């Protein structure tokens, strides 16, 4: 995760929503990973903060959550058959749909 991810995320979401895009399943997997890394880190967890850094050190997490939320309509229509239930839930959670 770095500062560029929130900038490209809207384009990745649009590509993932297009059934004509080759490699779409791989792109959906990457979006699930980005969603996971966008989750806030519990400041009370020393281990998590050590591994992932604090949210204040990584503002791109919140920026990614904002992008997912602004594109919740796209997240809601991503193909269920291409996502495991837990992956779909992770995307929907970060987009504020759950």
């Amino acid at each position: 995760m770095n500062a560029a991810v929130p900038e490209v995320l809207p384009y990745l979401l649009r590509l993932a929503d297009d059934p004509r895009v080759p490699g779409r399943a791989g792109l959906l997997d990457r979006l699930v990973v980005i969603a996971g890394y966008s989750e806030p880190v519990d400041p009370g967890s020393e281990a998590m903060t050590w591994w992932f850094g604090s949210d204040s050190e990584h503002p791109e997490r919140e920026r990614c959550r904002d992008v997912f939320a602004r594109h919740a309509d796209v997240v809601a229509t991503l193909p269920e058959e291409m996502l495991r239930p837990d992956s779909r839930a992770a995307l929907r959670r970060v987009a504020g749909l759950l």
Side-chain angles (χ1 to χ4, degrees):
M1 183 72 92
N2 62 47
V5 175
E7 301 300 322
V8 300
L9 189 53
Y11 303 103
L12 296 176
L13 285 163
R14 281 194 288 257
L15 285 170
D17 197 37
D18 187 342
R20 300 168 297 167
V21 171
R24 188 176 183 205
L27 180 55
L28 287 166
D29 290 340
R30 284 170 183 77
L31 288 172
V32 171
V33 170
I34 293 170
Y37 281 120
S38 298
E39 293 286 343
V41 171
D42 177 8
S45 172
E46 187 176 328
M48 292 297 287
T49 303
W50 187 83
W51 279 104
F52 297 106
S54 69
D55 285 345
S56 63
E57 295 171 323
H58 295 281
E60 63 273 11
R61 289 182 190 133
E62 183 175 0
R63 291 180 54 218
C64 283
R65 290 192 303 271
D66 290 342
V67 171
F68 276 112
R70 282 195 316 267
H71 293 84
D73 58 330
V74 173
V75 172
T77 62
L78 292 175
E80 289 186 37
E81 68 276 3
M82 296 182 79
L83 290 165
R84 291 188 328 265
D86 59 328
S87 296
R88 182 167 174 78
L91 286 168
R92 294 177 66 81
R93 184 174 48 255
V94 78
L97 297 170
L98 292 182

